[in-house]
Amino acid sequence: AEANEQRLMLLFMTLLGLLSALLTFGMDLAVEKLYNLRFGQTQRLRQMHLTADAAAERSLVWIAHGLFWGLLAVFVTARISPLAAGSGIPEIKSILSGNVLYKYLSKRTLCAKVLGLTCALASGLPLGKEGPFIHASCCLCEAMLSLPLFRPLKASHATRMQMLMAACAVGVGANFGAPVGGVLLAIELTSTYFLVSIYWKCFYTAVVGAVLSRTLYMSYKTKTYIG
């Protein structure tokens, strides 16, 4: 029974790393496309008009794009799940310390977090992905644990906490290609102790996410600039 649980846990961590990498790559790709759309419209206006009024018009278009995506991020978060607001780091730390936050890791919160963060980044606001994406990875982890295949892992509170720690690690590993940094962050987010047996789980999940995300980025950039 223990061997089966270990194999199931290994499968879960592999899928968590792969899906987190796909999620962060998809978000970055969407942000890039939206930014290129914004930049392309201002460039077209620049080619059409070279007067001072045209410069003001380009500035208005640039600002309008930023306002639209910023307001859309607020609307999506407020409409789908207000729990997705903020970085999510304090709440994740609270959950890993044993507190129960109702619906904070739900599927609705995941959707609101991903869509809201994508729109916020596309608006050009000085925001980072690290905290919000860690929250998104934990929501993804919770959604996977709800699947019938992985419910035995969710039945154990200790195992569930370990998988959430691995989700924190892969949130950094997949995002920045830094699995060691992800493990260090997972240690930081725990309360007062960190079991040595959890190190390899966090590191393995972060490595899977980092390898796939870097592979996707390299493939995309090569295709974009060479192909």
Side-chain angles (χ1 to χ4, degrees):
E2 184 177 353
N4 291 334
E5 182 180 353
Q6 291 294 328
R7 283 193 291 268
L8 186 62
M9 194 179 300
L10 183 63
L11 175 62
F12 179 87
M13 292 185 296
T14 303
L15 291 177
L16 178 60
L18 295 176
L19 292 177
S20 295
L22 290 173
L23 183 60
T24 187
F25 176 74
M27 291 174 62
D28 286 344
L29 189 61
V31 170
E32 181 181 346
K33 296 296 184 183
L34 294 175
Y35 183 83
N36 288 340
L37 174 65
R38 182 183 188 184
F39 184 75
Q41 288 187 346
T42 58
Q43 287 297 103
R44 281 193 293 272
L45 288 173
R46 182 178 182 179
Q47 294 172 359
M48 292 170 59
H49 308 286
L50 298 177
T51 63
D53 293 337
E57 184 179 351
R58 293 196 304 271
S59 298
L60 288 176
V61 170
W62 185 269
I63 295 172
H65 266 276
L67 286 174
F68 173 77
W69 293 116
L71 292 174
L72 183 60
V74 174
F75 175 78
V76 165
T77 303
R79 187 71 175 177
I80 300 178
S81 177
L83 295 174
S87 71
I89 292 293
E91 290 81 3
I92 295 299
K93 188 170 184 177
S94 178
I95 292 173
L96 292 176
S97 298
N99 298 302
V100 178
L101 300 182
Y102 185 61
K103 291 186 177 181
Y104 195 75
L105 299 178
S106 65
K107 297 180 182 68
R108 287 180 63 89
T109 304
L110 174 61
C111 292
K113 198 74 176 185
V114 172
L115 294 176
L117 180 58
T118 301
C119 293
L121 292 173
S123 70
L125 291 172
L127 302 172
K129 276 182 64 182
E130 181 181 356
F133 193 76
I134 290 172
H135 182 195
S137 294
C138 289
C139 292
L140 178 62
C141 174
E142 190 71 11
M144 291 176 59
L145 287 172
S146 300
L147 297 174
L149 177 63
F150 299 118
R151 281 177 186 167
L153 299 178
K154 190 175 183 179
S156 171
H157 177 73
T159 303
R160 177 174 174 266
M161 290 296 104
Q162 292 178 24
M163 295 302 98
L164 287 176
M165 292 177 193
C168 293
V170 76
V172 177
N175 222 352
F176 303 106
V180 176
V183 175
L184 292 176
L185 183 71
I187 297 173
E188 180 185 346
L189 289 180
T190 56
S191 53
T192 55
Y193 63 91
F194 193 88
L195 296 177
V196 176
S197 60
I198 306 177
Y199 277 108
W200 77 266
K201 298 172 185 175
C202 292
F203 185 70
Y204 173 77
T205 311
V207 166
V208 171
V211 169
L212 179 59
S213 65
R214 292 304 101 185
T215 303
L216 291 173
Y217 284 123
M218 291 295 294
S219 176
Y220 174 71
K221 293 302 181 182
T222 303
K223 181 179 178 181
T224 301
Y225 295 113
I226 298 179

